[in-house]
Amino acid sequence: METILVLTHTEADGSLARSAREALHAARTLNKAIAGSQLVVGLVGESVQAAANSIAACPATKYFGVAGAEFAPARYATDAAAAAATCKAAQATIVVAPATSRWNRVLPGVAQRLGGRVDTHVTGVAESGSQPAINRWYYRQRMEATIARTQRPWFIAIDPGSQPACECGAGTATVESVTVNLTGADKRTKVSGTREPKADAQTIRPDAELLFVTGAGWTKKQADGQTHVPEAEKIILEFLKHTRASLGSSKSLVDLGGEGQAVLPFLSHLNQIGQTGSTPRHPKGLSTCCHGEEPHTVGWRFIAERRAISLDPNCGWARGKADVLYVADAFKVMAKVNELLGQ
Ligand SMILES: Cc1cc2nc3c(=O)[nH]c(=O)nc-3n(C[C@H](O)[C@H](O)[C@H](O)COP(=O)(O)OP(=O)(O)OC[C@H]3O[C@@H](n4cnc5c(N)ncnc54)[C@H](O)[C@@H]3O)c2cc1C
């Protein structure tokens, strides 16, 4: 019989992140698909009771918790010890966890300690059939595979944004405390603080409703024979300010910086989406001044509704890559959009 453990860490305020609820959704999907399986929850963090209570109405039969100040920060030694102890206490055969940066660092090592196997970047789990199986993408999101394993425990790291978040309600959960024996060496690493960009410098927002992608056209000569980079910069930043959209870029535009041309200073290679960039997940995407070529549109694989603005009626977007293409001057369209948003 499979025991499916949802293994997650709590946030600094003791709550559960959306990614944890997505992992819970995936685990419950497996639980429903595998006859006779049992669903249990494991929580690690400074405090875990509030998080357990927040999902108490879910069909889990048991809650395990590792709590204490030493488990507050993301630290390999304590996180790995807590995760391994929870898996053992739960006698887990399948461990479903959110692929947060904190867990991604730790889970492969925990799988090794417990003689198990781990699969990362999982985007789906089997919804039918008695054998557990997972889905993940290969070759820059071009090929999708379904994988089953016989080795246990099997660790499954669910990519955030790939699942609906479970909406099970709150209640009062009885949490079984798991003892973890830490040595002084386990606590040797100290987290002295966190550094992050200022809010207005942070243009990559994985949780945004909209992905706004800028292409090289913003820096090209326009109908008047001139480039208008400062104006492009103003329009793009104003749109981001109004919408809090996440900012993506085509490769051509971020590469221009390396070639010494006038570019948008807030763009880096981290913004690049596509075959050699990232593949973000957002409900909507709007591409502006970019051609919609194949390597670029690979990055749009997980964008649900795609729109584009390009002057070229024969661009890649027109050839079936966008749901809606506006053949128009993006400078004019976005200036008008900003004006309407400003009202
Ligand atoms: C192996 C490989 C991997 C690659 N990986 C990636 C990747 O990961 N990501 C990526 O993005 N690319 C990638 N590329 C490059 C990709 O093929 C394209 O060259 C690139 O995406 C083109 O960028 P662009 O559309 O911004 O620029 P361009 O091709 O120069 O297109 C600019 C567009 O802007 C339009 N335009 C100009 N002015 C306006 C205006 N005022 N209003 C509206 N539209 C306007 C033009 O009509 C044109 O369509 C890769 C290529 C290769 C070979």
Side-chain angles (χ1 to χ4, degrees):
M1 189 188 83
E2 302 281 10
T3 297
I4 303 166
L5 169 69
V6 186
L7 182 63
T8 187
H9 52 81
T10 57
E11 301 302 300
D13 63 359
S15 67
L16 282 183
R18 181 190 155 91
S19 55
R21 285 183 171 265
E22 289 185 32
L24 181 51
H25 173 89
R28 174 64 180 143
T29 306
L30 272 179
N31 172 229
K32 280 194 278 192
I34 307 168
S37 64
Q38 187 195 357
L39 181 69
V40 299
V41 171
L43 299 159
V44 177
E46 184 164 17
S47 61
V48 297
Q49 187 63 51
N53 288 348
S54 72
I55 50 168
C58 85
T61 50
K62 277 187 182 173
Y63 290 78
F64 298 90
V66 176
E70 55 274 42
F71 300 103
R75 172 172 47 195
Y76 186 90
T78 44
D79 279 346
T86 307
C87 294
K88 280 187 194 158
Q91 296 184 314
T93 57
I94 297 179
V95 182
V96 181
T100 57
S101 59
R102 181 170 180 174
W103 260 184
N104 276 347
R105 283 203 301 156
V106 166
L107 293 180
V110 178
Q112 173 69 13
R113 287 182 193 187
L114 299 180
R117 295 287 184 273
V118 63
D119 281 291
T120 56
H121 293 296
V122 175
T123 54
V125 295
E127 301 208 9
S128 63
S130 57
Q131 289 307 312
I134 58 155
N135 288 71
R136 62 159 294 170
W137 293 79
Y138 288 92
Y139 186 37
R140 302 303 305 183
Q141 332 300 342
R142 285 199 174 88
M143 296 188 300
E144 190 181 12
T146 301
I147 301 168
R149 287 188 186 273
T150 50
Q151 185 87 21
R152 299 291 183 269
W154 183 13
F155 287 75
I156 299 171
I158 302 284
D159 256 1
S162 66
Q163 309 290 310
C166 91
E167 289 181 357
C168 47
T172 307
T174 305
V175 181
E176 200 173 299
S177 177
V178 178
T179 308
V180 184
N181 296 318
L182 297 177
T183 65
D186 290 330
K187 294 183 268 184
R188 191 178 49 194
T189 303
K190 304 272 183 242
V191 177
S192 56
T194 51
R195 280 191 209 167
E196 51 190 42
K198 285 190 198 136
D200 58 353
Q202 177 59 282
T203 56
I204 298 171
R205 302 189 177 106
D207 293 334
E209 268 290 296
L210 176 71
L211 172 71
F212 181 68
V213 176
T214 50
W218 283 106
T219 62
K220 295 268 160 79
K221 282 185 182 166
Q222 295 298 308
D224 60 1
Q226 307 294 317
T227 60
H228 293 269
V229 178
E231 191 185 339
E233 183 176 341
K234 190 169 155 280
I235 291 173
I236 294 163
L237 288 178
E238 194 179 334
F239 180 72
L240 293 180
K241 194 182 84 191
H242 283 308
T243 57
R244 309 286 296 165
S246 192
L247 180 63
S249 174
S250 70
K251 180 168 169 21
S252 294
L253 183 52
V254 288
D255 280 354
L256 285 175
E259 292 161 13
Q261 295 187 37
V263 274
L264 305 167
F266 45 85
L267 283 174
S268 79
H269 279 90
L270 291 175
N271 294 91
Q272 184 185 318
I273 67 155
Q275 179 181 358
T276 42
S278 64
T279 317
R281 294 167 196 278
H282 297 274
K284 292 180 181 181
L286 176 62
S287 157
T288 51
C289 290
C290 116
H291 199 70
E293 287 186 46
E294 180 63 27
H296 167 227
T297 51
V298 167
W300 288 70
R301 168 74 73 187
F302 301 120
I303 305 299
E305 188 191 314
R306 307 167 174 198
R307 296 189 180 205
I309 308 171
S310 176
L311 283 174
D312 184 356
N314 287 314
C315 68
W317 302 114
R319 294 167 186 271
K321 303 269 170 51
D323 300 304
V324 179
L325 169 68
Y326 305 97
V327 180
D329 181 342
F331 279 83
K332 288 190 184 147
V333 175
M334 295 313 296
K336 183 73 186 168
V337 168
N338 282 340
E339 186 191 315
L340 294 172
L341 287 170
Q343 289 167 13

